[in-house]
Amino acid sequence: MRPLNVFRFLLLAPLALNAQTPGPPCGASLSISLSGPTHTTLTATGTTTTDCATRDGGLFFLDGEIFPGHPPVWYCDGTDALNCVQRISTSVACFAKGEHVVEFDTSCDTKGTDANGNPVCGSSTGPKQYASFTVDDPKPSLTLILTGPDANGVYTASATYAFPSTESAGQRYVSIKFNGATVTSEYPVNPTGTTPTGTFSGCGTLVAVAESCGRTDA
């Protein structure tokens, strides 16, 4: 991650060198939200304000690392710099259970004075902004539904499931096996539901398994 540290330094490097008396810190704020059917889309919104219509912007970090999908260069120029709003989103599906932290670091030009006391725009930074969110345990839950036998000795099996903190079928899998042979299986499109039914007959072992993000409920 060394290149990221270099990039972080460069973004916060001075934007103007002629200010002898630095201006006030940049104004800064951060808000985050979780959206989607299983609340796995994280959106972070950072705002930088200043009194110089030159350039400002910020960097987003997630759990101490550069935010996924962050542009290599991201700032506001001219009058847009007076109130620079930056927004970025990423998936937090299959993140570890517990609290996670978003950080927003800002740099800007603010009005200071030069050696002669004249107003000039000089480099400044804003206070680091932090916001946290909590991810539910991605371990799935599963309930087996078994009926029978009918007059021919045939059983019918299915299962209800719930997959928290997932967002796609590829992160979810359910199977029911009898003596090692698959009775029914599915990569569910929806985070909750019921599998298709399957049938089997005879004596043996019936096993229902749900797999989610490397976690299993059997």
Side-chain angles (χ1 to χ4, degrees):
M1 302 301 293
R2 290 184 182 274
L4 300 179
N5 291 333
V6 172
F7 173 65
R8 185 175 184 176
F9 171 77
L10 289 175
L11 180 68
L12 300 179
L15 299 176
L17 301 176
N18 58 343
Q20 302 298 314
T21 302
C26 315
S29 65
L30 171 66
S31 64
I32 61 173
S33 64
L34 291 171
S35 60
T38 53
H39 306 289
T40 54
T41 299
L42 169 67
T43 300
T45 303
T47 302
T48 308
T49 57
T50 182
D51 52 7
C52 285
T54 51
R55 174 177 293 184
D56 67 4
L59 276 174
F60 292 91
F61 297 85
L62 177 56
D63 291 337
E65 303 288 341
I66 197 75
F67 204 97
H70 204 299
V73 178
W74 199 7
Y75 49 78
C76 297
D77 277 325
T79 56
D80 290 340
L82 299 175
N83 188 66
C84 180
V85 179
Q86 297 167 286
R87 185 173 290 108
I88 193 168
S89 297
T90 192
S91 169
V92 294
C94 297
F95 267 43
K97 175 185 177 182
E99 185 178 72
H100 299 267
V101 178
V102 177
E103 176 185 338
F104 182 58
D105 297 356
T106 62
S107 67
C108 68
D109 279 356
T110 57
K111 288 182 179 178
T113 56
D114 64 15
N116 298 317
N118 299 313
V120 293
C121 289
S123 175
S124 185
T125 60
K128 296 178 186 294
Q129 302 294 302
Y130 299 93
S132 63
F133 62 97
T134 301
V135 171
D136 294 331
D137 191 342
K139 182 179 180 180
S141 61
L142 185 69
T143 301
L144 179 64
I145 303 171
L146 180 64
T147 59
D150 62 13
N152 297 315
V154 175
Y155 293 87
T156 299
S158 62
T160 59
Y161 53 79
F163 289 89
S165 301
T166 60
E167 65 179 6
S168 66
Q171 297 167 348
R172 315 172 185 125
Y173 179 67
V174 183
S175 67
I176 301 174
K177 294 183 178 182
F178 178 67
N179 290 340
T182 300
V183 175
T184 186
S185 64
E186 182 182 19
Y187 289 92
V189 173
N190 297 312
T192 60
T194 303
T195 67
T197 58
T199 59
F200 65 95
S201 59
C203 296
T205 302
L206 185 68
V207 177
V209 176
E211 299 177 7
S212 166
C213 305
R215 301 289 300 276
T216 300
D217 184 27

